[in-house]
Amino acid sequence: MKTSEQLLLSKLENEFLEDAINELNEQYLIIQIFYDKSVHSQDSHLILNLEHKNDVDKIKQKHWIKKAYSEYKVHIHLFYNTQLHYKFDLGHPFVEFYCKPSALIYQNEQYGNHLLIDRNWKKFNKKFENYRERFYHDHDMLLSQTREFIKVGSFVSVFLSYEKVFKYDLEYLENLYTGSSSDSNNLHERIYHLLPYAPEIQKYFVKQNGKEYHLISLLEKAKRSAREDELMYDNEFFEAIGIAEESLFSMIEIRLDQLKKQIKKSPRDIAIPNKISSVLADHNDKIIDKAVKTIIKLESTEEVYLFHKATYGNNIIYYLLIIAQNVSNEKLKEKQYYLKSKAGKQYDFVLISHDRNWIQQHLYKYQNFFANIIQGKNRIYASSPYHPEPHWESPHHLHQDLDCYYKSAKGNGLQFLSMVGNENDNQQGIPFLFALFFLSFCRTYIFVKLCYMPNYLSFQSLWQLCLYANPDMISYQHLYNGFLLKLIPTLEYHKFLRHKFTCLDKEVIDHMKVIVEKLMNDLDELVKEEGLIDKIEKVF
């Protein structure tokens, strides 16, 4: 049914929305309009009550619906009249709160059967408790089935059962935040579309790309395994999936309580959450403050963790993990050199950077390392309060494929010793072989000691990570009046071919030889101590 009546919507105080609604009014019958205006930082909500379901389906596709939120922070909610009355009869808290008489800004008087919320608190509360109890009852039924599958070790069935629980939880969250549930079966999409209403949901799901989430992909993988009758071995994530589901359940409980309290109060009494500052910790350290300001200029920096601070004499080293997108080694080195130049010679920085999905995908090898770092006490910056922690594996089985790394480091050391043991005074390639050994030693030592294989960082950063792993190694820096400390900066130069004649003092070569022998011995002892290679002598 069309109408040409021009609606008077001055209460909207938004010309864009007024024009859009008046245009709708020329094509569809609008029965009622409710408007819950934002207070301070909250989003506004505009509810349109229309005559037919088909009208709602058509209007949902219009571009201005998205623009209303992206530019004006106004959520548009569309209902057809019988649907709105049905939800009201069920005691739906979204309808009770957002469609209250004080929010009504337009009503088509020529149309009967308006929604009018005039019941008292006692009547609503009874309906609300029934609404809440239905959720708890059905949720418990679904979850009890999941627990049975866990008991009998039916792994694929556990994932499939959890998918049902997730769908149920997301449907309730959608209803509580938008008044209706999504038509989509794609859980990735449903989580993504909830973000404007409940941004905290992103705390519980690690993204694997722009609009897809790691745990949801595991549920989809279970579906494929069931169809293709394949085994699935990702049961280490049962606990992570359980934690995510508990978090969704908690969000539903909080939202139910929030709506109940808001309905009982007048709109002016609604508490507005304080804005959360992006900088989460104040360490009273001006150097760290400057470092954070520099680091966050990196593209898409999400979080920064200060996981260690070491003092050696007058020198201070800060160890930082940066969670960010697309940070190359070269960009990381540039930031490191810039920080050092700005802070002063006595300060140094070890910068490690990975994106969140890379960390998630490599937990099977590096969980021990990241679990010690990614903690609230270490976080010094976050671009949002809603970044998720990784979904930790539980139980986590340490995976260290050491054989290849150890053989490489050991072989490089032996090759160096073989060359310097040759008495023909040919020093060509000695600095290159030393650099190759030192690089492979540091990465292998860090891998064994910290359960982490760093990217090809600078020699300085790799050595400082070795010191983080074992502070006693500082003794090598004092060997021969700080020979190693002076040598390390030159190793970057020797990584590449320099087509020129090499001439080294015998004393320098002897110092290099002693350091290689000592570091090789340390690596052997560490590997034996960790029980990672029982018979080292068999390796070579």
Side-chain angles (χ1 to χ4, degrees):
M1 177 178 176
K2 296 182 181 180
T3 176
S4 59
E5 177 190 1
Q6 190 77 4
L7 305 186
L8 299 176
L9 302 170
S10 58
K11 289 184 180 180
L12 282 177
E13 299 176 352
N14 186 310
E15 188 176 343
F16 169 78
L17 290 176
E18 290 175 25
D19 291 344
I21 292 172
N22 274 305
E23 186 178 331
L24 279 186
N25 192 46
E26 294 176 1
Q27 305 172 56
Y28 308 97
L29 193 151
I30 300 176
I31 299 171
Q32 288 173 302
I33 301 176
F34 301 90
Y35 182 51
D36 188 80
K37 188 177 181 181
S38 66
V39 182
H40 303 306
S41 62
Q42 279 190 337
D43 296 341
S44 298
H45 296 263
L46 186 69
I47 292 91
L48 300 180
N49 179 13
L50 298 126
E51 185 178 24
H52 301 298
K53 182 180 185 300
N54 288 341
D55 296 346
V56 170
D57 294 337
K58 290 175 184 176
I59 296 171
K60 277 182 180 178
Q61 309 304 319
K62 293 188 177 293
H63 176 69
W64 71 269
I65 300 287
K66 291 182 179 178
K67 188 176 179 180
Y69 179 73
S70 62
E71 296 194 13
Y72 302 104
K73 298 303 177 192
V74 178
H75 297 288
I76 309 295
H77 306 279
L78 304 169
F79 299 95
Y80 55 95
N81 199 41
T82 55
Q83 177 193 33
L84 202 59
H85 279 276
Y86 176 71
K87 289 178 179 292
F88 169 70
D89 290 339
L90 286 178
H92 199 302
F94 180 92
V95 174
E96 190 82 21
F97 178 67
Y98 289 105
C99 300
K100 54 187 177 285
S102 61
L104 183 67
I105 63 170
Y106 168 78
Q107 184 163 282
N108 189 328
E109 298 300 339
Q110 298 177 3
Y111 189 94
N113 196 25
H114 299 119
L115 177 69
L116 178 61
I117 299 179
D118 58 356
R119 59 188 170 200
N120 60 33
W121 168 254
K122 187 176 180 181
K123 285 185 178 180
F124 163 71
N125 195 38
K126 185 176 179 181
K127 291 272 190 181
F128 174 81
E129 291 305 323
N130 290 337
Y131 181 90
R132 175 150 53 187
E133 284 307 313
R134 281 194 297 273
F135 164 70
Y136 285 138
H137 176 269
D138 293 347
H139 180 272
D140 289 345
M141 291 283 288
L142 287 170
L143 209 54
S144 62
Q145 187 180 41
T146 306
R147 294 189 185 108
E148 287 301 316
F149 287 133
I150 292 174
K151 283 181 184 177
V152 299
S154 180
F155 297 150
V156 173
S157 297
V158 172
F159 280 99
L160 295 177
S161 183
Y162 262 126
E163 184 185 40
K164 292 179 182 178
V165 185
F166 272 53
K167 282 183 178 178
Y168 185 75
D169 289 346
L170 291 172
E171 181 179 341
Y172 255 84
L173 280 173
E174 288 166 344
N175 268 282
L176 293 173
Y177 280 101
T178 72
S180 58
S181 58
S182 168
D183 298 328
S184 174
N185 287 320
N186 187 318
L187 297 187
H188 297 289
E189 289 180 0
R190 296 178 79 164
I191 293 170
Y192 182 78
H193 289 147
L194 272 168
L195 292 181
Y197 303 95
E200 64 269 26
I201 198 172
Q202 61 196 305
K203 290 168 63 176
Y204 312 124
F205 295 94
V206 171
K207 278 188 177 182
Q208 62 184 25
N209 56 45
K211 293 184 180 180
E212 294 188 337
Y213 301 88
H214 181 77
L215 287 186
I216 304 304
S217 293
L218 284 181
L219 301 181
E220 293 172 345
K221 181 181 175 183
K223 266 188 177 178
R224 292 193 297 272
S225 298
R227 283 197 300 265
E228 298 165 11
D229 198 25
E230 293 180 351
L231 293 175
M232 186 171 175
Y233 296 101
D234 288 315
N235 53 302
E236 295 90 347
F237 287 100
F238 282 179
E239 185 173 329
I241 290 176
I243 291 170
E245 195 284 321
E246 287 174 7
S247 301
L248 291 180
F249 179 81
S250 178
M251 284 182 66
I252 293 168
E253 287 192 305
I254 291 169
R255 179 61 174 167
L256 282 167
D257 289 340
Q258 180 190 56
L259 284 171
K260 183 177 179 180
K261 290 175 183 176
Q262 288 177 336
I263 290 165
K264 197 171 183 179
K265 296 177 181 178
S266 69
R268 294 177 184 175
D269 295 329
I270 296 170
I272 306 303
N274 293 324
K275 186 177 180 182
I276 300 173
S277 172
S278 59
V279 178
L280 300 180
D282 182 7
H283 288 265
N284 295 318
D285 190 325
K286 293 181 180 179
I287 299 298
I288 280 296
D289 289 342
K290 289 180 181 178
V292 168
K293 288 176 183 177
T294 300
I295 288 168
I296 62 177
K297 292 178 183 177
L298 286 167
E299 187 177 353
S300 302
T301 301
E302 295 179 6
E303 291 180 303
V304 181
Y305 291 86
L306 174 64
F307 63 93
H308 188 56
K309 179 180 176 181
T311 303
Y312 300 107
N314 294 324
N315 297 318
I316 299 174
I317 305 172
Y318 296 96
Y319 293 77
L320 302 169
L321 169 66
I322 304 165
I323 299 181
Q325 297 286 334
N326 305 318
V327 180
S328 65
N329 286 339
E330 289 306 312
K331 190 178 289 187
L332 210 57
K333 288 176 184 176
E334 287 175 13
K335 289 293 178 185
Q336 187 176 15
Y337 293 143
Y338 180 80
L339 287 173
K340 186 172 175 61
S341 66
K342 287 294 182 182
K345 291 182 179 180
Q346 72 183 95
Y347 300 102
D348 209 346
F349 301 86
V350 177
L351 305 182
I352 298 170
S353 181
H354 298 288
D355 66 61
R356 200 173 300 276
N357 188 51
W358 186 95
I359 293 172
Q360 180 67 59
Q361 297 296 335
H362 291 80
L363 286 185
Y364 70 101
K365 288 194 291 186
Y366 306 147
Q367 176 160 304
N368 290 358
F369 176 73
F370 287 113
N372 287 327
I373 293 175
I374 301 177
Q375 299 182 25
K377 64 181 181 180
N378 297 328
R379 189 188 295 116
I380 57 173
Y381 169 81
S383 62
S384 162
Y386 304 122
H387 292 305
E389 279 193 9
H391 303 299
W392 305 114
E393 290 187 357
S394 180
H396 173 65
H397 305 288
L398 186 61
H399 179 95
Q400 281 193 319
D401 186 13
L402 178 66
D403 191 57
C404 178
Y405 300 130
Y406 175 74
K407 283 182 179 179
S408 174
K410 186 83 171 178
N412 291 333
L414 292 173
Q415 184 69 23
F416 173 84
L417 294 176
S418 174
M419 177 173 282
V420 298
N422 190 339
E423 303 251 337
N424 62 6
D425 294 327
N426 181 2
Q427 299 159 8
Q428 206 67 21
I430 287 178
F432 171 79
L433 275 177
F434 183 88
L436 188 64
F437 164 75
F438 193 79
L439 178 65
S440 60
F441 163 80
C442 288
R443 296 180 82 243
T444 307
Y445 193 89
I446 293 163
F447 183 60
V448 177
K449 198 76 173 172
L450 298 179
C451 299
Y452 173 65
M453 179 59 75
N455 292 331
Y456 291 93
L457 304 175
S458 69
F459 285 91
Q460 187 75 21
S461 290
L462 288 171
W463 176 245
Q464 286 164 341
L465 279 172
C466 288
L467 294 180
Y468 168 60
N470 181 9
D472 290 340
M473 294 185 79
I474 193 68
S475 60
Y476 292 119
Q477 285 190 189
H478 304 312
L479 198 64
Y480 303 122
N481 296 317
F483 172 77
L484 182 60
L485 196 58
K486 297 171 186 174
L487 181 62
I488 287 175
T490 70
L491 299 182
E492 297 289 342
Y493 176 88
H494 292 297
K495 273 199 306 187
F496 305 100
L497 172 66
R498 307 293 176 188
H499 203 167
K500 55 191 283 189
F501 182 70
T502 301
C503 182
L504 299 173
D505 291 339
K506 185 178 184 304
E507 185 181 8
V508 170
I509 295 174
D510 288 343
H511 290 349
M512 286 181 173
K513 180 180 177 182
V514 170
I515 287 172
V516 169
E517 288 172 342
K518 286 181 175 292
L519 292 179
M520 283 177 64
N521 182 65
D522 276 4
L523 186 58
D524 287 347
E525 291 301 317
L526 177 62
V527 170
K528 285 180 182 177
E529 179 185 314
E530 296 293 329
L532 298 171
I533 297 180
D534 295 330
K535 300 276 187 181
I536 289 181
E537 56 270 19
K538 287 187 177 180
V539 176
F540 289 93

